[in-house]
Amino acid sequence: MSDATSAGQRPRWWQDAVIYQVYPRSFADGDGDGVGDLAGLLSRLPYIASLGVDGIWMTPFQPSPQVDQGYDVSDYCGVDPLFGTMEQFDELLQAAHALGLRIFLDVVPNHCSSEHPLFQAAVAAGPGTPERAMFHFANGRDADTAPNNWQSVFGGRAWSRVSPGSDTDQEWYLHLFSPQQPDWNWRNPAVGDYFEGVLRFWFDKGVDGLRIDVAHALFKADGLPDAVNADSVVDGLRSNLHVSDQEDVHEVYRRWRRVADSYSAERVLVGEVNLDPHRAARYTRHDEMHQAFAFAFVKLGWDAAAWAAVGTELEAARREHGAAPTWALENHDIVRSATRFGGGERGALRARAGLLAVLGLPGGAYI
C-alpha cells in the first residue's frame, strides 16, 4: 500500500502540492536595511497565496555566519537577527496558516557551522574526548597529510587541521563543504538524539514540513577509507560513495518519520537526495521520507525528447515505492531556467512553458 491512495480516496495534500521556494535574504526587505527578512516575507504572504500555491519552503534563516548562504547553521532552533526575531517567525507562521499556506523549513543535518557551540566545545576539549565524538576528528597520516584523500564539494581536500603547528593536538576534522562547515558524526547516537530535539522544536511550533539538506550523505563509510579516485572532486556527493548513500542513513529517516507521524496534524519530510532516480526512490519508502526531489529536470536544456525520457524514468522510480514524484526546474543552487533556456524573451517564454509542463505532471512541484 502506498502513501498515495487506495481507489476512490483523495490524495493527501502534499502529494500534489505546489510549494514556492523563498530565499528570505533576497525576497523582500521589511525594515529598509537592504536585506530581505521575515517582516518582508510576512508582508508578501497575501501575494504568494494569490498565486494558488499550497505552501512555502523557506531556506535557512537560523543563526549563521553566512559562509554558505545560511547553510552553515550555528543554532538550529533560533532566528538570525539579520532576518528578525522568533516572535516575528511565530507571527509569520500564524499568518501563513490563516491564508491556507503551509510552511516548510530547511534542516541541515550533514554539517553545521564551525561556530556551533558543540563544535566549539569539541575543539576546546581536545583529542579523545566525548565532545569530539560528535564530529569526525582523526589523526593525519603525518603533519601535512590528511587522514584520507576525500575531496570537498567546494574544492580542495575535505579535511582541515584543528591546530596547525600544534604538537599536542594533531587531529584533523572532516568537512565535505567549506572548512567552516564540520560534518556531524552520525555514528554517534548523541547526534541522532540532538536532531530529534531539533525536529520536535519546529514541529511543536506548528511547522508543516522540513526540507532535508544533503539527505543522503549523513553517514560515511566505516573507517573513512580512501576514495578510489584520489583526484576526483565530489560532484553532489555522487562520485565518492564512501560519503553518501550508506545503508545506515535509512534508519535516521525511519526515526524521523516516526517523529513526524506522532503529530496529529500531518508533518512532512522532503529530502534533497541527489542520487540516480532508482537509488533516490529508496528514501521515499512507506516508513521513510514522504518525498524526495527529482533533480534530473534542473539539468535539462530545451529538449522535448530528453524531458520525456527523464520524466518517464523519474516517475517509474518513484512508483517503485509508492511515492508520487516531486518535480523541480530550478532551486537556489543553479541558474534560473529562463537563463538556462536561452535568456531574453525566448528564455522567459520557455521557462513559462516549462513550468506549465511541470505543473501538469502527476505529483508535487517545487518552484
Side-chain angles (χ1 to χ4, degrees), residues 60-121:
F61 55 84
Q62 290 83 2
S64 165
Q66 300 294 322
V67 170
D68 185 23
Q69 312 304 322
Y71 284 90
D72 50 319
V73 179
S74 56
D75 177 2
Y76 287 86
C77 299
V79 173
D80 195 307
L82 182 69
F83 304 116
T85 66
M86 186 62 76
E87 290 74 21
Q88 287 178 312
F89 174 78
D90 292 338
E91 183 182 0
L92 186 152
L93 182 63
Q94 183 178 5
H97 286 166
L99 290 166
L101 295 170
R102 269 87 173 194
I103 295 292
F104 284 69
L105 305 186
D106 254 306
V107 63
V108 188
N110 179 71
H111 51 267
C112 63
S113 167
S114 56
E115 295 187 15
H116 192 288
L118 290 177
F119 185 74
Q120 291 285 305

Side-chain angles (χ1 to χ4, degrees), residues 150-206:
W150 294 359
Q151 299 295 297
S152 163
V153 174
F154 290 166
R157 61 191 176 192
W159 294 89
S160 291
R161 278 285 302 271
V162 178
S163 302
S166 171
D167 293 329
T168 58
D169 189 348
Q170 299 186 30
E171 288 194 329
W172 301 61
Y173 67 91
L174 177 67
H175 51 84
L176 294 184
F177 294 86
S178 79
Q180 293 82 24
Q181 292 170 285
D183 282 33
W184 294 98
N185 176 15
W186 276 88
R187 297 193 183 280
N188 183 344
V191 173
D193 294 343
Y194 172 79
F195 273 94
E196 178 170 334
V198 172
L199 264 63
R200 291 192 181 279
F201 176 84
W202 292 110
F203 285 160
D204 287 349
K205 276 192 167 291

